[in-house]
């Protein structure tokens, strides 16, 4: 069994992978370019713990023609990948619940996730898929509009609604808080984290791999250790450093192909978010969402985490390095449409983030095809829901044991 493993990236994928590898007995070193865990896509997420439901995928408002062609080709192939992902999603949600319970993680969880069905046409489309989803063990529940409004009493009474789909085991929470707490647990198991450290290259080296990394603090990084939120667990020598590992797991999203030295057909999916404090009025305790609310027609998700509401949307797909101008006003309007008057307009945070996306919208998990390099990449819009399951299965595989699920349908070879 490979004993000494480097994990590149400390987002949700990296932190969960580090925890599961440390639990399986590996010596784990995590390298993160940023100053703390979950600072990139894992910070900007919609805060939803989403089960994967085939056919309910998000659709981007814009995508280049070449990408749409690639996606069409990828989705034409019949494969086991959607069924594998549905099973992985169930495993991931169960593992997340187990870790929350056994480790006492508190990430401002709220249970419940509804998908808005704004007209009869959408209800009919969902009805046609219910049997197939039940066969996959997903058990979504179709609610009429009254039942949906009972679960989310803050919904705008004037907004058109024909029904909602309730997703079992779904909910909302603070993914960053989850990652921060799990990082502490990984450290207790011996995992070491190195922040402001960029991995530059990975080269085969006999039976192992040499990882070249470099301390890359931002110009305004605090110099006193006490000021660093990250609390690095290793000193930082200057200049590029070479270190040997038995295996490397790439959990660094869009930056993975550069380290793998191989093209992976990944695009960037951009999304904008607005987070605002909920308006607390004794006379109107129903204001705002109770948990998670997804509106595929508007391409948005609304989530309650603690005393805040986050709305995300404006999905756009571009080349890996391109930029998109976010439309925050549209998100404010969408929030007002579904939950009018529910937030305060002070301390509003606006953000924009991007995550890796494979042509078929599915993750890239498992052996990379290059000896000793493993992938935990591009979990799409279910990144958090999948993270704990993907990490557990990967760690079992890397330990040379038979995992609960065969991930070969989600490997990178399917895209070649
Ligand atoms: C706006 C938005 C909304 C979303 N909503 C949801 C949601 O509601 N539910 C859900 O489950 N998922 C959601 N997602 C997806 C989810 O957030 C991501 O799938 C998940 O966070 C990806 O985690 P990650 O660890 O792969 O990536 P990241 O969190 O981006 O982590 C990758 C890390 O790798 C580091 N890195 C990169 N290159 C290097 C290098 N060479 N050396 C060292 N470090 C490196 C980066 O600094 C980064 O911290 C959303 C994403 C976005 C952007």
């Amino acid at each position: 069994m490979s004993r000494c493993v480097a994990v590149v990236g400390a987002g949700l994928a990296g932190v969960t992978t580090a925890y599961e590898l440390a639990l399986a007995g590996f010596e784990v070193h995590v390298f993160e370019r940023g100053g703390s865990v979950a600072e990139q896509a894992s910070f900007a997420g919609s805060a939803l713990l989403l089960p994967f439901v085939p056919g309910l995928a998000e659709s981007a408002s814009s995508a280049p023609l070449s990408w749409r062609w690639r996606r069409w080709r990828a989705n034409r192939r019949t494969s086991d990948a959607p069924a594998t992902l549905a099973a992985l999603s169930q495993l991931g949600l169960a593992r997340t619940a187990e870790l929350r319970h056994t480790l006492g993680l508190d990430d401002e969880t709220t249970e419940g996730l509804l998908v808005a069905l704004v007209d009869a046409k959408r209800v009919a489309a969902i009805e046609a898929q219910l049997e197939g989803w039940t066969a996959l063990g997903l058990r979504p529940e179709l609610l009429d509009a009254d039942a949906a409004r009972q679960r989310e009493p803050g919904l705008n009474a004037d907004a058109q609604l024909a029904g909602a789909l309730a997703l079992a085991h779904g909910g909302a929470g603070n993914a960053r808080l989850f990652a921060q707490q799990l990082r502490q647990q990984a450290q207790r198991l011996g995992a070491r984290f190195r922040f402001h450290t960029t991995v530059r290259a990975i080269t085969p080296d006999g039976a192992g791999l040499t990882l070249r990394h470099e301390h890359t603090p931002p110009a305004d990084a605090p110099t006193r250790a006490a000021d660093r939120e990250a609390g690095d667990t290793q000193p930082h020598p200057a200049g590029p450093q070479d270190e040997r590992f038995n295996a490397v797991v790439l959990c660094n999203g869009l930056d993975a192909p550069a380290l793998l030295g191989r093209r992976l057909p990944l695009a960037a999916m951009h999304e904008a978010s607005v987070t605002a404090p909920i308006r607390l009025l004794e006379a109107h305790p129903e204001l705002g969402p109770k948990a998670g609310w997804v509106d595929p027609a508007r391409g948005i998700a609304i989530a309650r985490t603690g005393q805040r509401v986050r709305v995300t949307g404006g999905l756009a797909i571009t080349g890996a390095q391109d930029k998109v101008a976010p439309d925050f006003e549209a998100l404010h309007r969408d929030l007002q449409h579904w939950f009018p008057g529910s937030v305060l307009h002070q301390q509003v945070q606006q953000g924009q983030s991007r995550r890796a996306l494979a042509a078929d919208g599915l993750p890239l998990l498992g052996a990379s095809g290059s000896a000793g390099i493993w992938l935990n990449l591009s979990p799409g819009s279910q990144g958090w829901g999948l993270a704990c399951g993907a990490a557990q299965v990967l760690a079992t595989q890397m330990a040379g044991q038979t995992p609960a699920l065969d991930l070969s349908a989600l490997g990178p070879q399917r895209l070649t």
Side-chain angles (χ1 to χ4, degrees), residues 306-332:
Q307 302 299 325
R308 284 168 304 150
V309 176
R310 175 172 284 191
V311 51
T312 45
L315 289 175
I317 297 170
T318 69
Q321 302 309 326
D322 299 338
K323 295 201 162 84
V324 162
D327 184 353
F328 297 117
E329 280 308 312
L331 294 181
H332 285 283

Side-chain angles (χ1 to χ4, degrees), residues 82-93:
T84 305
L85 194 59
L88 183 63
S89 166
Q90 298 301 304
L91 196 78
L93 294 171

Side-chain angles (χ1 to χ4, degrees), residues 11-13 32-33 41-42 45-46 48 199 271 355 380-384:
L12 279 165
E32 168 53 52
R33 189 170 53 195
S42 307
S46 320
L48 298 178
V199 175
E271 212 170 353
R355 58 185 190 257
S381 55
Q382 295 87 22
W384 186 14

